[in-house]
Amino acid sequence: MVSDAANGAFVEFDRVQKSYDGETLVVKDLNLSIGKGEFLTMLGPSGSGKTTCLMMLAGFETATHGEIRLGGQEINNIPPHKRGIGMVFQNYALFPHMTVAENLAFPLEVRKMGKSEREEKVKRALDMVQMGSFGGRRPAQLSGGQQQRIALARALVFEAELVLMDEPLGALDKQLREHMQFEIKHIADNLGITVVYVTHDQTEALTMSDRVAVFNDGRIQQLDPPDVLYEEPQNSFVAQFIGENNTLSGKVTKMENGRAEVTLDDGEVIDTVPVNVNAVGDKTLVSIRPERVEFNKDRLAPDAHTLKAEVLEFVYMGDIYRTRLRVAGKDDFIVKTRNAPDQRRLQAGEMLEIGWRPQDCRALDA
Amino acid sequence: MTDATAGPDVKTGPTPDNAIREAEAASGPVLAADGTPLKRSLQRALRREKMRALMLISPLLIFILVTFIAPIADMLFRSVENQSVSETLPRTVVALKDWDYNSGEAPDEDVFAAFYVDMIEAEEFKIHTRLGTRLNYEHTGISSLFRQTGRAVGRFDTDEYTDAFVDLNEAWEDPVTWLNLMQVSGIEDVLPETASAWQSWSRIVEENNDVLAEEEPEDFLYTTLYRDLMANGDAVASFEGDEAALLQEAAAAVGEWEPVSLKEQFLDIDEDWADPEIWGTIQAFSPNYTPGYFLNSVDLQMTADGISAQPENQRIYLLLFKRTLFMSLMIMGSCILLGYPVAYLLSNLPMRVSNVLMILVLLPFWTSLLVRTSAWKVLLQQQGVINDILVWLGIVADSNRLVMINNQFGTIVAMTHILLPFMILPLYSVMKTIPPSYVRAAKSLGATNWTAFWRVYFPQSVPGIGAGSILVFILAIGYYITPELVGGTTGTFISNRIAYHISSSLNWGLAAALGTILLAVVLVLYWVYDKIVGIDNVSLG
């Protein structure tokens, strides 16, 4: 899937498979190249194999088949402590019986670094995460966000070029999480380190990553930069998983000029961009983002297909309005509109005609 | 636009912050809605809940008070209690106060006179043997001395006084005369010994369900009367009251009579009554409370001279205490060594396997203690399974079979086996809470397997070791049945000695003192542990 098996790849998964019980594959034929300095996120629902991939990279799980390379060298048989990969764990895994400074000094100590050098590096790492004055505290005396910073500092203090993060922000509240997302991203950019980040939070993935690998069922479903992933999902799983999405099911009735005409289940016809439908007669799920739906006729192209819709529910959410409609027999069709002075608030029971630009409407696999 | 007088974050009007500021500004205690202070109001609200909670635990509380606290208090009391001397020989104890043991001589006639009356009463109530037993713990031979004396004390030559009084005046034979005389107020100043003896006599008569006015007075009353008349001639001369004439008549006559030496009477029964050691022992143990049992517990003894070491061949308790401590520590140590890997496996294996292992760990709990201990006998004895195998393998010569039981080795092996679950379970419950991510984190940071274990995993399992060690040690230090069965002579604990004193020698005071010391040792060790490790670091899960 990824074509750049170029020599510049820093981390490489080459046809990696993993099975725990010898009967089912948790990771199926994984090929992935990560460039130096890249921030790559593995995103997927639980059980999709993303954490297993991370653990194989860290060395805590062995690949059943295939090769994992780091900087061009095969690391399948190198024990974790010799890989020199920094790692931030889900619950930080700060050693509770050591102070913050001792935690940070630990990786330097096991590398037999001298005391003065150690202290200097610890200090620098603490300053980097703005925790300079917390060296003497115990992890239990820190808040979740502070522990998170220390865990990050610890993974970075021994100057690993690759840092793995396993849902590091999962335990934080929303505001802190958003703040930390930017901070981690900035630190990673400043240091030029390569980061492999695992999360099931798509917002996190979109915010932070250079590229996102969407995992499902042991495979990478799509590997793209966040905007491509969001705007041009390659299959209905990705479309559903990333962001909010409306789907309408139907059949392809005409294919021409890079357009596909889809007849919906209730007989209405719409124009779509064919993504993974091949021929007339294919069943398809049509995907439209809620914010791309338009019900102001003036803004629609004159020849655009429109659908009849009935307003079922209007929810005021502050910055946006979220309206639920009944469209083509489905009553979970969502429209999001910006809260702007000229924006109309729809009333439940109102009848509308809705439309969209054809390129926003993608015919995906059923 | 905004009010210039207010600070940047201070708004006027009703806000939560302002409500708090107002409450703080109001002086005095915070009041509840009905005007009572909030604190009292809160207490009243909580009192009912507290009462209900107390009611719920009261059955257990009462049970513990009755079956646990009370016996311990009783034990502590028994270990110092020593009322039997002063209760049985009240007059002797008083009389002995003036006697100096260091004079090297037996006490004088006065003490023997007091002792005579005490023994008469004690013999009547059969409590002199009990006292003999008690004093025998301190000085061997006293028990039989008291028994012998008890039998003879009623047959002293003091009937000579009786005859002399009766010869002087028939009235002295009449109990009513005595009754009248003893009812005179102030008689105890004139005839102190007689009045005191009369009290004993009243108790004896009452005990036999007889009437004072009908019972003929016994020899010891005449003896005390004689002694009083000899000593207090002046007081008697000025005595006024019933039977004054009779008394003064006797007072005039007694000087002529041949005195009967009570001291000689006692010496006739047994020469030992001349031995100052005996009297020294009685004197030393006359207070109501004594440190004697505790001194015995640490191989000292309280003699008339003061505190001295027990004879060499009777010193066993310090040795036993040391051995108990040493063996308990050994058992604790081997439990740690054997239990730690097992607990580690249990907490790190998959659930299905660890459950099977857990059953194996718990299996000893489901087997009778006696059966387990007996099994070790079968395994370890000289004709036992292990020796047989060793001989069969040719490792040990048949003539030179190993002695593995009825000694310390056997006790340590058997008790380690029995107490192992008490080490494994706390360890397991602590290890279960150590997330595997810690060791993984350590490895990802560059630590080898050993470093990750020693620097990261082990320190976090220390609370489990602490809890297990305290549990095993405290159980071991008071263990009884296993050392009794497999300990032989060199592998027994202090608890076996306590049991011996409870059930065989019946020296409960000493047993209580030993038990108290054991309790104190445990508490001190607990305190030391708290100081060094910190009891907060103990975790049972």
Side-chain angles (χ1 to χ4, degrees):
Chain A
M1 205 176 278
V2 183
S3 53
D4 58 344
N7 298 330
F10 183 50
V11 178
E12 255 182 306
F13 287 85
D14 188 3
R15 309 198 62 192
V16 171
Q17 293 183 318
K18 173 71 184 175
S19 172
Y20 286 107
D21 54 4
E23 285 165 14
T24 51
L25 283 170
V26 183
V27 174
K28 301 167 182 165
D29 195 26
L30 178 79
N31 294 288
L32 176 62
S33 296
I34 303 167
K36 203 159 179 133
E38 193 179 7
F39 196 118
L40 181 121
T41 300
M42 294 177 169
L43 175 68
S46 52
S48 60
K50 57 188 192 309
T51 301
T52 306
C53 286
L54 195 76
M55 289 302 166
M56 284 194 287
L57 185 52
F60 298 126
E61 300 288 354
T62 51
T64 313
H65 176 82
E67 254 183 37
I68 302 171
R69 284 188 287 272
L70 177 65
Q73 189 197 357
E74 189 195 329
I75 56 169
N76 286 40
N77 294 319
I78 296 179
H81 68 270
K82 289 190 180 152
R83 295 192 182 191
I85 299 175
M87 186 153 180
V88 179
F89 289 82
Q90 197 164 3
N91 290 311
Y92 320 133
L94 295 176
F95 307 140
H97 57 290
M98 300 183 191
T99 63
V100 164
E102 284 165 351
N103 262 285
L104 260 66
F106 184 82
L108 308 176
E109 230 172 282
V110 298
R111 286 177 170 74
K112 309 253 184 322
M113 194 174 279
K115 191 165 184 249
S116 55
E117 196 182 353
R118 219 158 61 199
E119 276 168 5
E120 196 198 311
K121 289 204 174 194
V122 167
K123 189 178 175 309
R124 216 186 307 148
L126 280 176
D127 286 341
M128 181 179 66
V129 293
Q130 294 149 37
M131 297 282 291
S133 57
F134 291 83
R137 301 252 193 120
R138 299 252 167 185
Q141 296 167 309
L142 301 178
S143 70
Q146 289 169 333
Q147 292 186 30
Q148 170 59 53
R149 285 164 195 265
I150 300 302
L152 184 64
R154 191 178 63 175
L156 296 171
V157 72
F158 60 100
E159 285 156 12
E161 292 183 14
L162 174 62
V163 174
L164 313 181
M165 303 193 190
D166 184 10
E167 308 209 12
L169 304 178
L172 301 183
D173 60 53
K174 187 164 172 288
Q175 272 191 335
L176 199 53
R177 198 158 61 216
E178 283 167 3
H179 180 75
M180 286 304 295
Q181 286 168 9
F182 287 107
E183 203 161 308
I184 291 176
K185 176 73 177 149
H186 290 155
I187 289 174
D189 285 349
N190 288 342
L191 296 176
I193 51 171
T194 311
V195 177
V196 179
Y197 192 100
V198 162
T199 182
H200 62 261
D201 181 338
Q202 37 123 341
T203 326
E204 213 165 280
L206 296 181
T207 317
M208 304 174 78
S209 320
D210 297 327
R211 282 193 302 164
V212 179
V214 181
F215 275 71
N216 190 38
D217 195 23
R219 283 180 203 282
I220 294 182
Q221 303 291 329
Q222 187 170 353
L223 175 64
D224 270 314
D227 53 339
V228 178
L229 203 65
Y230 187 81
E231 312 258 343
E232 296 165 20
Q234 291 298 319
N235 56 40
S236 51
F237 174 81
V238 176
Q240 293 285 3
F241 194 74
I242 308 286
E244 206 166 8
N245 188 50
N246 291 308
T247 54
L248 300 167
S249 61
K251 246 181 206 166
V252 180
T253 46
K254 207 199 271 177
M255 293 261 278
E256 55 176 24
N257 304 335
R259 291 285 170 90
E261 194 185 83
V262 173
T263 306
L264 299 180
D265 291 349
D266 70 338
E268 301 230 36
V269 176
I270 53 172
D271 271 343
T272 66
V273 178
V275 179
N276 44 13
V277 288
N278 302 318
V280 173
D282 279 2
K283 279 193 156 192
T284 182
L285 277 178
V286 178
S287 127
I288 310 115
R289 294 287 179 196
E291 68 276 13
R292 296 294 163 94
V293 177
E294 191 56 74
F295 52 83
N296 187 342
K297 272 204 171 162
D298 304 341
R299 296 195 200 153
L300 282 171
D303 61 334
H305 280 288
T306 56
L307 295 177
K308 284 197 185 61
E310 182 191 351
V311 179
L312 296 176
E313 194 180 10
F314 174 83
V315 182
Y316 175 85
M317 294 179 74
D319 55 344
I320 57 162
Y321 304 149
R322 191 166 185 273
T323 315
R324 190 160 64 85
L325 308 172
R326 177 181 294 137
V327 174
K330 296 186 64 169
D331 52 9
D332 57 354
F333 196 94
I334 303 295
V335 177
K336 281 185 190 164
T337 46
R338 205 162 59 84
N339 179 358
D342 60 338
Q343 191 61 262
R344 201 158 69 83
R345 297 189 188 186
L346 299 168
Q347 301 292 324
E350 208 174 319
M351 296 301 290
L352 298 172
E353 286 208 1
I354 57 165
W356 44 80
R357 299 185 306 160
Q359 62 265 38
D360 289 333
C361 179
R362 297 166 67 84
L364 304 171
D365 53 315
Chain B
M1 292 229 301
T2 52
D3 189 353
T5 56
D9 60 344
V10 178
K11 297 191 170 63
T12 51
T15 68
D17 278 0
N18 284 350
I20 292 169
R21 273 189 214 108
E22 264 171 46
E24 275 172 358
S27 58
V30 186
L31 299 183
D34 61 353
T36 54
L38 189 60
K39 258 193 185 148
R40 198 188 308 155
S41 185
L42 179 69
Q43 266 175 3
R44 198 180 308 147
L46 290 179
R47 194 176 305 145
R48 264 187 62 182
E49 276 181 43
K50 280 186 189 160
M51 286 304 290
R52 195 184 309 159
L54 197 66
M55 293 266 285
L56 281 173
I57 61 159
S58 60
L60 178 66
L61 205 62
I62 292 166
F63 177 76
I64 284 183
L65 273 177
V66 171
T67 63
F68 191 67
I69 307 288
I72 286 182
D74 183 58
M75 179 188 80
L76 292 176
F77 179 67
R78 263 176 201 280
S79 63
V80 291
E81 186 258 8
N82 185 48
Q83 282 161 359
S84 86
V85 177
S86 57
E87 270 174 9
T88 315
L89 307 173
R91 297 172 188 85
T92 318
V93 165
V94 175
L96 264 179
K97 279 209 177 106
D98 300 329
W99 176 69
D100 179 16
Y101 165 77
N102 291 322
S103 66
E105 283 172 20
D108 59 15
E109 180 70 13
D110 287 346
V111 172
F112 279 98
F115 187 54
Y116 172 55
V117 181
D118 283 336
M119 278 304 283
I120 291 279
E121 184 178 358
E123 198 274 333
E124 193 69 37
F125 287 94
K126 303 290 175 213
I127 53 177
H128 65 294
T129 52
R130 207 184 63 191
L131 177 66
T133 313
R134 165 68 187 95
L135 290 175
N136 202 53
Y137 299 142
E138 314 298 340
H139 192 290
T140 318
I142 288 194
S143 181
S144 61
L145 183 61
F146 267 76
R147 252 172 241 283
Q148 204 182 346
T149 308
R151 281 194 297 271
V153 79
R155 299 194 300 267
F156 275 9
D157 291 340
T158 46
D159 55 345
E160 287 174 18
Y161 290 134
T162 313
D163 295 343
F165 274 105
V166 175
D167 285 348
L168 190 68
N169 194 326
E170 291 277 318
W172 283 116
E173 210 171 12
D174 185 2
V176 179
T177 313
W178 285 88
L179 205 53
N180 291 338
L181 186 62
M182 289 301 146
Q183 276 164 355
V184 177
S185 71
I187 190 71
E188 57 272 11
D189 295 329
V190 183
L191 305 173
E193 286 187 30
T194 317
S196 163
W198 181 257
Q199 306 248 314
S200 296
W201 175 242
S202 325
R203 284 194 289 269
I204 291 168
V205 171
E206 195 181 342
E207 172 75 9
N208 295 332
N209 291 322
D210 291 325
V211 182
L212 266 179
E214 295 167 6
E215 282 301 304
E216 258 185 47
E218 283 192 13
D219 296 345
F220 73 99
L221 288 171
Y222 295 98
T223 311
T224 52
L225 183 60
Y226 169 78
R227 286 176 51 79
D228 278 336
L229 292 176
M230 287 297 282
N232 300 343
D234 298 342
V236 173
S238 58
F239 177 73
E240 291 168 5
D242 284 354
E243 319 291 353
L246 194 62
L247 203 59
Q248 276 143 14
E249 177 197 8
V254 288
E256 311 288 317
W257 298 349
E258 186 75 18
V260 179
S261 167
L262 285 165
K263 186 172 180 176
E264 272 166 27
Q265 295 289 323
F266 276 104
L267 289 179
D268 280 347
I269 304 171
D270 198 311
E271 282 293 326
D272 278 350
W273 285 120
D275 183 1
E277 290 293 332
I278 300 283
W279 291 102
T281 307
I282 295 177
Q283 190 183 41
F285 286 89
S286 50
N288 280 346
Y289 299 96
T290 174
Y293 292 123
F294 280 101
L295 293 173
N296 284 355
S297 303
V298 291
D299 289 341
L300 297 174
Q301 59 181 351
M302 195 165 76
T303 59
D305 274 335
I307 295 162
S308 65
Q310 290 271 23
E312 197 96 27
N313 57 352
Q314 286 176 31
R315 291 180 204 163
I316 54 165
Y317 296 112
L318 278 184
L319 173 74
L320 269 177
F321 273 118
K322 273 187 224 150
R323 185 198 288 165
T324 305
L325 282 178
F326 167 75
M327 287 174 67
S328 298
L329 284 173
M330 287 293 290
I331 290 160
M332 188 185 88
S334 23
C335 278
I336 294 174
L337 287 181
L338 294 175
Y340 196 94
V342 176
Y344 181 83
L345 265 186
L346 275 175
S347 54
N348 286 291
L349 281 178
M351 209 51 167
R352 195 145 28 102
V353 188
S354 75
N355 277 348
V356 174
L357 260 183
M358 186 55 106
I359 289 175
L360 292 180
V361 168
L362 291 177
L363 207 59
F365 272 139
W366 304 336
T367 323
S368 153
L369 181 63
L370 226 53
V371 171
R372 274 181 283 159
T373 308
S374 310
W376 279 113
K377 279 197 123 136
V378 174
L379 286 170
L380 294 177
Q381 59 185 288
Q382 280 197 291
Q383 300 302 320
V385 178
I386 292 178
N387 265 313
D388 281 350
I389 291 174
L390 289 178
V391 168
W392 182 71
L393 287 174
I395 297 171
V396 167
D398 197 16
S399 57
N400 197 16
R401 285 174 176 247
L402 300 176
V403 183
M404 292 186 291
I405 201 147
N406 296 331
N407 56 16
Q408 292 197 5
F409 179 80
T411 309
I412 290 175
V413 167
M415 282 188 55
T416 299
H417 170 239
I418 283 159
L419 295 176
L420 199 53
F422 294 99
M423 179 63 78
I424 293 178
L425 293 178
L427 269 175
Y428 168 73
S429 69
V430 167
M431 287 178 176
K432 198 78 186 155
T433 62
I434 304 175
S437 64
Y438 285 132
V439 170
R440 285 185 168 180
K443 286 185 194 168
S444 83
L445 294 171
T448 58
N449 287 344
W450 170 251
T451 313
F453 168 78
W454 183 245
R455 295 280 313 275
V456 174
Y457 192 89
F458 182 76
Q460 295 187 64
S461 66
V462 163
I465 297 181
S469 299
I470 283 196
L471 214 56
V472 168
F473 183 79
I474 289 178
L475 282 173
I477 208 172
Y479 228 72
Y480 163 69
I481 185 120
T482 304
E484 181 75 17
L485 290 176
V486 301
T489 50
T490 60
T492 47
F493 279 23
I494 194 71
S495 48
N496 301 104
R497 200 66 197 167
I498 295 176
Y500 165 78
H501 283 305
I502 292 275
S503 57
S504 300
S505 81
L506 301 183
N507 189 352
W508 286 18
L510 182 56
L514 289 170
T516 306
I517 290 179
L518 197 56
L519 181 66
V521 166
V522 168
L523 289 179
V524 165
L525 287 173
Y526 184 82
W527 177 78
V528 168
Y529 182 90
D530 186 32
K531 283 283 149 195
I532 297 173
V533 183
I535 215 67
D536 297 341
N537 284 335
V538 168
S539 166
L540 291 167

